Amino acid sequence: MTVDVQATRDVVDIITGGWRAQALYTAVKLGLPDHVEAGCDNDAELAKATGASEQGVHRLMRLLVALGVFEGSDSAGYRGTRVSAALLDGPQSLRDMCLLYGEEFYSAWDHAHHAISTESSGFEVAYGQSFYDYLGDHAATARRFQLTMNAASMFFHQVPGVFDFTGKKVVDVGGGGGHLLATILAATPDATGTLFDRDHMTPKAREHLSATVGPDRAEVVGGDMFEGVPEGGDVYILCRVLAGHDDEDVVGVFEHCRRAMAGPSSRLLILDRFVEDENSTVLPALWDLHLLVTTGGEHRTLDRITRLLERAGLSVESTAELPMETTSLIVAPRTP
């Protein structure tokens, strides 16, 4: 029997993905990107700066260099790369993503077999409560999750290019820390906005919007989108907030948005990642499975979301593609 060397290598690369993830998580937890950036360029200096074992740091850095996170060596000196630069502490850093994925989400994935076998959340098995309830009880994790969402939102700056917000009252439903709304308002000086989210999310959103666009152009309202949304908006936005909820709840949110619209010219803008059952690419399929493991939720196909919109008296008017395999749907109320 001939051994398929490439197939063996492919299996090894896939199955050791978790090891690579935890190595990167450990590097971020120790602050290695920041220490290298600050001039610590050898094992001894990094060990002293982090309080970790020098030999442990050496072995970790050897792997991280091989993965392209850093360049160089202990003897020649370590240097940062584009990857390590993305992990430096600061605005738009992927640091919090690595910490969240390496801790809470990694624990949830430890129960992937349960989640897939029962089609229920592995996070609940790991932590004894739903992911969103956990965020409500753990402010530090909720902040880390919001920073993760913000850092992964490199498509925000393109949203004003797919919809004309001129003179509009924009209602961002489930708007999190306010980064999307701030981006839209900064690009559209005569637009105003309302950010609507759960009460534990509103303080940071209010702080961010006040600092970026001023308190007069954006208000922050606390509440539950499953019970209702602020009325009188010209455009309602649902950005990556639907995947963790079942179809009936999603239809309810659509109905709330339709009823709250200022008039027939108002629109609903959905920004999300959609899966395809045929010829799927890796990222949407991977994130869909991640949703199952963490929240019990899922990404939907475009056809399925269209049917849910129709149940709520809405129809897709146009679509546009955004970075990171994100799609924007511009949705109009159906006339009787």
Side-chain angles (χ1 to χ4, degrees):
M1 176 179 169
T2 303
V3 175
D4 188 332
V5 176
Q6 186 57 53
T8 301
R9 179 57 185 266
D10 290 345
V11 169
V12 170
D13 285 346
I14 294 171
I15 202 66
T16 57
W19 302 353
R20 300 170 192 227
Q22 284 301 98
L24 186 63
Y25 156 74
T26 302
V28 172
K29 186 77 171 178
L30 290 173
L32 294 181
D34 293 286
H35 291 307
V36 170
E37 180 73 8
C40 297
D41 67 351
N42 59 67
D43 298 333
E45 290 180 353
L46 289 172
K48 182 178 180 180
T50 61
S53 159
E54 182 175 339
Q55 192 60 21
V57 167
H58 173 73
R59 295 166 72 175
L60 175 59
M61 290 296 292
R62 183 166 56 196
L63 173 60
L64 295 172
V65 168
L67 292 174
V69 179
F70 298 104
E71 294 177 337
S73 65
D74 177 45
S75 58
Y78 296 117
R79 301 179 302 279
T81 66
R82 293 175 64 188
V83 176
S84 65
L87 300 169
L88 296 173
D89 194 12
Q92 298 304 308
S93 172
L94 299 179
R95 179 179 182 276
D96 287 285
M97 175 185 285
C98 288
L99 295 174
L100 179 67
Y101 280 51
E103 294 177 9
E104 286 90 352
F105 284 171
Y106 203 82
S107 296
W109 271 87
D110 192 43
H111 301 280
H113 180 269
H114 168 86
I116 293 166
S117 299
T118 63
E119 203 173 2
S120 60
S121 167
F123 188 95
E124 291 191 25
V125 177
Y127 290 94
Q129 61 183 143
S130 75
F131 175 63
Y132 293 111
D133 286 344
Y134 183 89
L135 292 184
D137 293 338
H138 297 80
T141 304
R143 175 165 171 75
R144 182 173 292 168
F145 175 67
Q146 190 55 57
L147 290 171
T148 296
M149 295 290 284
N150 293 341
S153 301
M154 61 287 297
F155 63 86
F156 280 7
H157 70 285
Q158 294 193 19
V159 174
V162 301
F163 187 85
D164 184 6
F165 294 96
T166 303
K168 301 288 195 301
K169 179 180 179 181
V170 183
V171 181
D172 190 358
V173 178
H179 285 71
L180 174 57
L181 184 57
T183 301
I184 292 169
L185 296 182
T188 320
D190 62 349
T192 58
T194 298
L195 184 140
F196 182 70
D197 210 327
R198 296 187 179 189
D199 289 335
H200 70 270
M201 299 301 300
T202 56
K204 285 298 177 183
R206 187 174 289 107
E207 177 184 325
H208 180 74
L209 288 166
S210 180
T212 53
V213 298
D216 296 333
R217 292 189 61 204
E219 63 173 341
V220 177
V221 179
D224 185 342
M225 67 180 181
F226 299 108
E227 296 178 358
V229 300
E231 296 185 353
D234 298 309
V235 54
Y236 288 80
I237 299 177
L238 296 170
C239 179
R240 302 178 306 181
V241 297
L242 303 176
H245 308 287
D246 64 32
D247 284 357
E248 296 304 315
D249 285 340
V250 168
V251 171
V253 174
F254 291 161
E255 290 174 336
H256 292 320
C257 291
R258 179 178 53 78
R259 285 194 294 265
M261 287 177 173
S265 63
S266 296
R267 294 294 182 265
L268 170 64
L269 182 60
I270 299 175
L271 307 172
D272 218 328
R273 187 176 285 130
F274 299 100
V275 292
E276 298 179 6
D277 290 328
E278 301 291 337
N279 302 314
S280 176
T281 53
V282 171
L283 195 58
L286 182 62
W287 242 257
D288 172 66
L289 200 59
H290 175 67
L291 285 166
L292 171 60
V293 172
T294 52
T295 68
E298 61 182 325
H299 278 310
R300 296 170 173 87
T301 64
L302 183 55
D303 180 66
R304 183 172 163 195
I305 204 74
T306 299
R307 293 198 303 271
L308 298 182
L309 286 164
E310 290 173 348
R311 286 177 53 190
L314 299 159
S315 58
V316 177
E317 189 172 65
S318 63
T319 67
E321 295 305 314
L322 294 167
M324 295 297 288
E325 298 180 70
T326 300
T327 301
S328 71
L329 307 181
I330 298 175
V331 179
R334 289 209 310 267
T335 55

